Amino acid sequence: MLAIIGGTGFYDLDGLRLDERIAGATPFGEPSGEILRGSLHGQPLLFLARHGSGHRLLPHEVNYRANIFALKRAGATQLLGFSAVGSLALDTPPGALAMPGQYVDWTRGQRERTFFGRGVAAHVSTARPVSAPLVEAVCAAGRRAGLPVQRGLTYACVEGPRLGTQAESHLLRQLGCHLVGMTNVPEVFLAREAQMAYATVGLVTDYDCWLDDPAQHVSVGAIFERYRQTLADARRLLDALLQEPLPEPEPESRQALAQALLTPDTALSPEQRSWLEVLRR
């Protein structure tokens, strides 16, 4: 089943035929809000607003572990996120739809970034953190809808909540990054630990602040104005995606824990076995 995580401004799913609202804590705390289970264009779906109702959670306040665990527990095997991003490349202009293929973690270690530890040891490969079949399906939907989608980009995730300095923007460009945002890490890596195929559609709002022209520098006002315009395209893209059969998740995602776990089941507590069983599904 496909799960959608809505970012800034994406707090509901228009046209969703709602079957159930799923609430409740996880072993990793409370998720951002209720999960909506239903269908759209005949496709079963789960939906969660990343920042909660009314955008009450800053990026570093989101409980990413609880969000991913709750979606996996509800039946998700694939996850498509939508996020506001800044562009670090001239050929990825404001208004573009852009899908990362790689990630650079430039956060500062304040976020809980793994399900493992505290007696459960695992090392999951994230060499290719994004689901190629899911990316191709989204790009194909874009072609059908007349919405170009850039792909194969590198996303730098920064801590926030402040917007970056010009020096930081230039540094991320030197690292080979094309996009900058605050929310995809640790989300992308937790999805891999939960054996879910993952991809993100970035809604480009600005050129961050690396250009010399101050009029091009990112501001909250510019972010929300541009995002409102691009969000309509993102919803059209999702509609086009759901009108065709979704691809099967690749084994690399769905079997990520097969060779990653080091701790034998006999060494686990009943509580650890219980939440680990959800991730293994």
Side-chain angles (χ1 to χ4, degrees):
M1 184 186 299
L2 179 68
I4 305 296
I5 292 184
T8 301
F10 204 154
Y11 308 126
D12 54 40
L13 205 51
D14 292 342
L16 180 70
R17 179 176 177 178
L18 183 63
D19 295 327
E20 183 182 7
R21 295 179 180 271
I22 303 171
T26 77
F28 305 95
E30 293 283 346
S32 296
E34 293 180 325
I35 294 172
L36 306 183
R37 184 203 298 271
S39 61
L40 185 58
H41 302 301
Q43 295 274 11
L45 281 182
L46 301 168
F47 177 82
L48 176 65
R50 183 186 287 116
H51 297 281
S53 176
H55 203 116
R56 58 187 175 79
L57 298 171
L58 286 167
H60 69 283
E61 295 177 316
V62 173
N63 189 334
Y64 297 95
R65 293 194 304 173
N67 285 352
I68 296 298
F69 187 89
L71 289 168
K72 184 62 185 292
R73 185 173 61 186
T77 57
Q78 303 190 74
L79 197 164
L80 181 63
F82 289 84
S83 305
V85 296
S87 172
L88 300 170
L90 275 176
D91 55 0
T92 304
L97 300 173
M99 299 193 75
Q102 286 290 332
Y103 285 90
V104 171
D105 181 0
W106 208 250
T107 60
R108 292 294 180 265
Q110 300 179 46
R111 308 177 185 199
E112 292 284 358
R113 62 192 58 221
T114 179
F115 290 111
F116 299 107
R118 301 176 181 86
V120 187
H123 299 281
V124 172
S125 173
T126 60
R128 296 184 294 183
V130 170
S131 170
L134 187 52
V135 170
E136 177 53 38
V138 174
C139 291
R143 291 191 291 271
R144 293 194 301 272
L147 295 167
V149 180
Q150 295 190 26
R151 64 189 298 180
L153 307 180
T154 297
Y155 176 121
C157 191
V158 298
E159 187 65 49
R162 67 172 175 84
L163 304 175
T165 69
Q166 195 168 54
E168 290 168 331
S169 195
H170 281 300
L171 177 60
L172 295 175
R173 280 170 47 81
Q174 291 172 24
L175 290 175
C177 300
H178 308 95
L179 305 171
V180 59
M182 299 180 188
T183 59
N184 281 194
V185 174
E187 188 176 272
V188 55
F189 303 130
L190 291 167
R192 179 56 58 88
E193 290 186 348
Q195 301 196 128
M196 289 194 289
Y198 181 92
T200 283
V201 177
L203 283 66
V204 180
T205 59
D206 55 79
Y207 277 120
D208 201 50
C209 62
W210 58 275
L211 291 171
D212 288 333
D213 181 3
Q216 295 285 358
H217 292 178
V218 59
S219 69
V220 172
I223 286 174
F224 281 96
E225 178 59 29
R226 175 63 67 178
Y227 198 84
R228 279 193 292 269
Q229 298 172 23
T230 312
L231 190 56
D233 287 343
R235 291 182 183 271
R236 284 177 53 210
L237 179 66
L238 180 58
D239 279 343
L241 173 69
L242 297 176
Q243 291 178 34
E244 296 288 337
L246 295 173
E248 289 294 320
E250 67 281 4
E252 186 176 359
S253 295
R254 294 292 290 131
Q255 300 171 16
L257 295 180
Q259 305 298 324
L261 282 163
L262 302 179
T263 308
D265 283 0
T266 54
L268 301 176
S269 70
E271 292 77 15
Q272 289 168 334
R273 280 194 291 270
S274 178
W275 62 255
L276 189 54
E277 179 56 35
V278 172
L279 301 189
R280 283 169 157 165
R281 292 176 188 165

